Amino acid sequence: MSNIREVSRAAGVSIATVSRALSNPEKVSEAALKKVYAAIEKVGYRPNMMARNFRAVRAYSIVVLVPNLSNLFFATVIRGIEDAAQQKGYSVLLGDTRDSTAREEEYIRLVETRQADGILQLRPHTPGKSLEPKVAIPMVSACGCENTPYPSVRIDNTGAAREIVDYLIDQGHRRIGVLSGLVDNPHAVDRLRGYKEALAAAGIPFDPDLQINGDFTLGSGLMAASHFARMKDRPTAIFSMNDEMAIGCLQGLKSAGIKVPEEMSVTGFDDIEFARYSDPPLTTVAQPAEELGRVGFQTLLELIEGKELGNTETVLPYEFVVRKSTPPLKG
Amino acid sequence: MSNIREVSRAAGVSIATVSRALSNPEKVSEAALKKVYAAIEKVGYRPNMMARNFRAVRAYSIVVLVPNLSNLFFATVIRGIEDAAQQKGYSVLLGDTRDSTAREEEYIRLVETRQADGILQLRPHTPGKSLEPKVAIPMVSACGCENTPYPSVRIDNTGAAREIVDYLIDQGHRRIGVLSGLVDNPHAVDRLRGYKEALAAAGIPFDPDLQINGDFTLGSGLMAASHFARMKDRPTAIFSMNDEMAIGCLQGLKSAGIKVPEEMSVTGFDDIEFARYSDPPLTTVAQPAEELGRVGFQTLLELIEGKELGNTETVLPYEFVVRKSTPPLKG
DNA sequence: CTGTTAGCGCGTTCAG
DNA sequence: CTGAACGCGCTAACAG
């Protein structure tokens, strides 16, 4: 627990010289530098970052708000964030909010009390329900949705959904079920719009009976499957809004005796690694998860450093991935 | 950005009184309290935690070192950690080290420079390769292995592995493949011992050809499957050391035309949520992941607060979960 | 190039 | 019960 004063004593120079030797070595003579480095070694000095940051009025850390850390898509985004943050000397404070705005508020306090410099929000913004952007709280959305009222980085969810459903229609499907998220989930909203647009473009009327809302978990996919299985006029394909639900759905369909993909096509969204290992492997949309995290961090850093960004949107490209869960419809 | 001085001015009391009103309200008169609270409201005061922590010589944060955040088992442990930490007013700094000791060292620096108070290590300890415990760096292992040289919380990996393999033997298997981790991975070491003990107890000789080493990822499970599939004298069951590899293996076996579980039993380890949704659902060992995290944090907190723990071990119970991937062997 | 001085925001003496 | 004064470890401004 030695401090800068001990170093200065051991080196026989002033405290200021030690400080300069560390942050502006070019302003210190060779001789003094040598003495300082030797002294640092000798007394085992480590600068106290709390003191340094305190002076700098910057915590050099950001908080990442994630609705559910066990969601592999989010986990991957976080890896990207951490990667970028570490390169810039920032640490990442984890806030698993379990979809609770109240918990989010608690983490906001970390930046209000200067324990963190900004917020990277992974939960998409729901007007009237989510944390509203506050001035003086740098915040950016790292895997957001349309109409986010603060800077965001995202993919074109609507377009990606449209592309998937277009593909299913091309494969011959006319009755396409949709396994959505909760009605007010913004990702669900955007993707549902894409689904409807694709249907409309093909002249297929939207049938509300074919929409089942889950919550992006495996379990809700399983539940949804049993609904779909029991329908009198069952769909021939299901567009699921994430891979977890699609995989849950796969199992539900099988245990209902429905063969996938022979009797039912299923698509996912995100392209988590498990999507390649399901049976059958899932046709899905690959989001550039790590990149979303990296770009999200960079955007946040600009905000922290004082740039005015308004509610800039950065839209990154996605990739449509065809696997075996969507063969052409027979008959 | 108001500070305590502004509050004191607005309230017409001294700085010390404001400070006391916040941390020892019982030592302040009713009248003064009211004035202080009103002033805080009025100037929009938020205590500067950096300053407070700086004085307290405590960061009120810990760093969690995780080898791979995309591993669902670790993600769940972290949820437990964060839960416990938040309750005690601590924040969690994330360190995804991607199995690199060098990266771990960088995070150690965070506590050396007082940005964090201690380390919660999720990577099991490999002698001569892992971070060695340093005095003055509070560190605990939250899902450790046997012979960890600092306080640890874990399950009985050897016992759990033995129990799984015993069960396979009971189901009639004599040739049981093992899908291990890398040779120096401590979890692999402990679990391999359990595998061998179970074999020995049943009088089955250990056959090194039946051991394939992966790296706990889906991909390595897939690779291993093709090895197993090509063996002349193929095993009738595979004990995989985690669920991800087991699920990867499942797919590899299927694409090699081997039916699971009819022609091959497969077991996992950890009981991640996907284990219930694979085809067939996996027989596995459920680790109390969140609890490991919670207890790990509590142990670390004791260390931070100055208790001497030596290399205490806390062993938590696991649960053996039988699903459909392990029917009795026919013939 | 170097040392001296003055705080950053807060908690904690110690008198009153 | 209250206030003035000091210092935590460090950096920045200013002289020399």
Side-chain angles (χ1 to χ4, degrees):
Chain A
M1 291 297 180
S2 59
N3 58 24
I4 199 170
R5 183 158 56 244
E6 288 185 40
V7 178
S8 94
R9 268 205 297 265
V13 300
S14 76
I15 290 179
T17 301
V18 177
S19 175
R20 276 190 291 257
L22 261 29
S23 38
N24 300 81
E26 71 281 5
K27 293 185 174 176
V28 177
S29 69
E30 283 291 331
L33 272 183
K34 272 211 179 94
K35 284 193 287 186
V36 169
Y37 292 145
I40 286 177
E41 203 67 30
K42 185 177 161 202
V43 305
Y45 170 70
R46 292 308 222 156
N48 181 331
M49 286 306 206
M50 281 181 72
R52 187 178 283 185
N53 295 348
F54 168 47
R55 279 242 52 196
V57 196
R58 181 149 314 172
Y60 290 101
S61 68
I62 60 156
V63 16
V64 174
L65 256 26
V66 51
N68 176 4
L69 189 58
S70 301
N71 179 307
L72 280 171
F73 169 65
F74 291 133
T76 311
V77 176
I78 293 178
R79 295 189 83 163
I81 293 170
E82 213 217 314
D83 221 52
Q86 214 199 5
Q87 279 183 21
K88 297 290 189 178
Y90 274 71
S91 337
V92 172
L93 250 13
L94 192 65
D96 187 336
T97 60
R98 311 196 179 187
D99 260 316
S100 145
T101 304
R103 280 178 88 113
E104 290 186 346
E105 303 273 12
E106 295 186 30
Y107 284 101
I108 292 286
R109 213 171 325 166
L110 286 182
V111 3
E112 286 177 342
T113 61
R114 325 288 200 294
Q115 309 230 72
D117 302 319
I119 302 266
L120 212 36
Q121 172 66 283
L122 301 198
R123 187 181 178 206
H125 185 266
T126 312
K129 198 175 154 193
S130 289
L131 236 39
E132 292 300 323
K134 305 184 186 182
V135 282
I137 304 276
M139 175 155 84
V140 353
S141 167
C143 35
C145 52
E146 294 173 30
N147 304 315
T148 302
Y150 52 96
S152 66
V153 183
R154 61 175 180 87
I155 64 160
D156 175 7
N157 283 285
T158 304
R162 200 187 320 116
E163 197 166 329
I164 287 204
V165 179
D166 276 346
Y167 181 79
L168 288 173
I169 293 170
D170 275 356
Q171 295 293 78
H173 299 280
R174 302 284 298 176
R175 284 187 67 71
I176 301 173
V178 55
L179 179 35
S180 175
L182 295 178
V183 283
D184 65 350
N185 180 293
H187 283 152
V189 171
D190 290 357
R191 291 170 196 171
L192 194 62
R193 184 178 318 122
Y195 165 81
K196 288 181 179 173
E197 285 177 7
L199 254 40
I204 304 172
F206 169 66
D207 178 353
D209 289 346
L210 290 181
Q211 175 180 350
I212 294 183
N213 298 336
D215 63 359
F216 293 103
T217 62
L218 287 160
S220 69
L222 182 67
M223 303 273 286
S226 68
H227 284 266
F228 282 121
R230 268 191 250 109
M231 288 180 180
K232 331 102 243 237
D233 194 8
R234 193 192 292 157
T236 58
I238 296 171
F239 161 51
S240 165
M241 292 198 185
N242 82 344
D243 293 335
E244 269 97 339
M245 289 196 294
I247 291 172
C249 191
L250 249 32
Q251 196 190 63
L253 293 171
K254 275 179 218 160
S255 56
I258 297 173
K259 287 196 180 111
V260 184
E262 294 81 358
E263 303 175 56
M264 181 84 83
S265 286
V266 175
T267 65
F269 207 107
D270 290 347
D271 196 28
I272 62 174
E273 223 192 332
F274 281 91
R276 207 169 312 162
Y277 291 88
S278 61
D279 182 28
L282 285 176
T283 292
T284 190
V285 167
Q287 293 207 52
E290 288 208 19
E291 191 64 10
L292 285 167
R294 267 192 293 271
V295 176
F297 175 77
Q298 282 153 13
T299 309
L300 179 58
L301 192 54
E302 290 181 11
L303 219 53
I304 289 172
E305 288 175 344
K307 281 188 195 138
E308 284 296 335
L309 270 60
N311 58 356
T312 331
E313 269 189 336
T314 310
V315 179
L316 261 34
Y318 59 84
E319 199 184 336
F320 181 49
V321 181
V322 176
R323 297 207 183 91
K324 303 197 174 163
S325 67
T326 53
L329 181 64
K330 285 177 192 155
Chain B
M1 289 296 181
S2 57
N3 59 23
I4 198 169
R5 183 161 52 246
E6 290 185 39
V7 177
S8 95
R9 267 205 298 265
V13 299
S14 76
I15 290 178
T17 300
V18 177
S19 175
R20 274 189 293 257
L22 261 29
S23 38
N24 301 81
E26 72 279 5
K27 291 186 177 175
V28 177
S29 67
E30 283 291 332
L33 272 184
K34 273 213 180 91
K35 286 192 286 186
V36 170
Y37 291 146
I40 287 177
E41 205 66 30
K42 183 179 165 200
V43 305
Y45 170 70
R46 293 310 222 155
N48 181 332
M49 285 309 206
M50 281 181 73
R52 187 178 285 187
N53 294 348
F54 168 47
R55 282 239 51 197
V57 195
R58 179 147 317 170
Y60 291 99
S61 69
I62 61 157
V63 12
V64 173
L65 256 28
V66 50
N68 175 4
L69 189 58
S70 300
N71 179 307
L72 279 172
F73 169 64
F74 290 133
T76 310
V77 175
I78 292 177
R79 294 189 84 164
I81 293 170
E82 212 217 315
D83 220 53
Q86 213 199 5
Q87 279 182 22
K88 296 290 188 178
Y90 274 72
S91 335
V92 172
L93 252 14
L94 192 64
D96 187 336
T97 60
R98 310 195 181 187
D99 260 316
S100 146
T101 304
R103 280 178 89 110
E104 290 186 346
E105 304 274 11
E106 294 187 31
Y107 285 101
I108 292 286
R109 214 171 323 167
L110 286 182
V111 4
E112 286 177 344
T113 61
R114 326 290 199 292
Q115 310 229 72
D117 302 319
I119 301 265
L120 212 36
Q121 172 66 283
L122 301 198
R123 188 182 179 207
H125 184 268
T126 314
K129 199 176 156 194
S130 289
L131 237 39
E132 293 298 325
K134 304 184 185 183
V135 281
I137 304 278
M139 175 155 82
V140 353
S141 166
C143 35
C145 52
E146 294 174 29
N147 305 315
T148 302
Y150 52 96
S152 67
V153 182
R154 60 176 180 88
I155 63 158
D156 175 8
N157 283 286
T158 305
R162 199 188 320 116
E163 198 166 327
I164 287 206
V165 179
D166 276 346
Y167 180 78
L168 289 173
I169 293 170
D170 276 358
Q171 296 292 77
H173 299 279
R174 304 282 297 174
R175 284 187 68 72
I176 301 172
V178 55
L179 178 37
S180 174
L182 296 178
V183 283
D184 64 351
N185 180 293
H187 283 152
V189 171
D190 291 356
R191 292 171 195 170
L192 194 63
R193 185 180 316 121
Y195 166 81
K196 287 181 179 174
E197 285 177 7
L199 254 40
I204 303 172
F206 169 67
D207 179 353
D209 289 345
L210 291 181
Q211 176 181 349
I212 294 183
N213 298 336
D215 62 1
F216 293 103
T217 63
L218 287 160
S220 70
L222 181 68
M223 303 274 285
S226 68
H227 284 266
F228 282 122
R230 269 192 248 108
M231 287 180 181
K232 332 98 241 247
D233 193 8
R234 193 192 292 158
T236 58
I238 296 172
F239 161 52
S240 164
M241 291 197 185
N242 81 345
D243 293 334
E244 268 96 339
M245 290 198 293
I247 290 172
C249 192
L250 247 34
Q251 194 190 68
L253 293 171
K254 274 179 221 160
S255 57
I258 297 172
K259 287 197 180 112
V260 184
E262 294 81 358
E263 302 174 55
M264 181 83 83
S265 286
V266 175
T267 65
F269 206 106
D270 290 346
D271 196 27
I272 63 174
E273 222 192 334
F274 281 92
R276 208 168 311 160
Y277 291 88
S278 61
D279 182 28
L282 285 177
T283 292
T284 189
V285 166
Q287 293 207 53
E290 288 208 17
E291 191 63 11
L292 285 167
R294 268 191 292 270
V295 177
F297 175 77
Q298 281 151 14
T299 309
L300 180 58
L301 191 54
E302 291 182 11
L303 220 54
I304 289 172
E305 289 176 342
K307 281 190 196 139
E308 284 295 336
L309 269 60
N311 58 356
T312 330
E313 268 188 336
T314 309
V315 179
L316 261 33
Y318 58 84
E319 199 183 334
F320 180 49
V321 182
V322 177
R323 297 205 183 92
K324 302 199 173 159
S325 67
T326 52
L329 180 63
K330 286 180 191 150

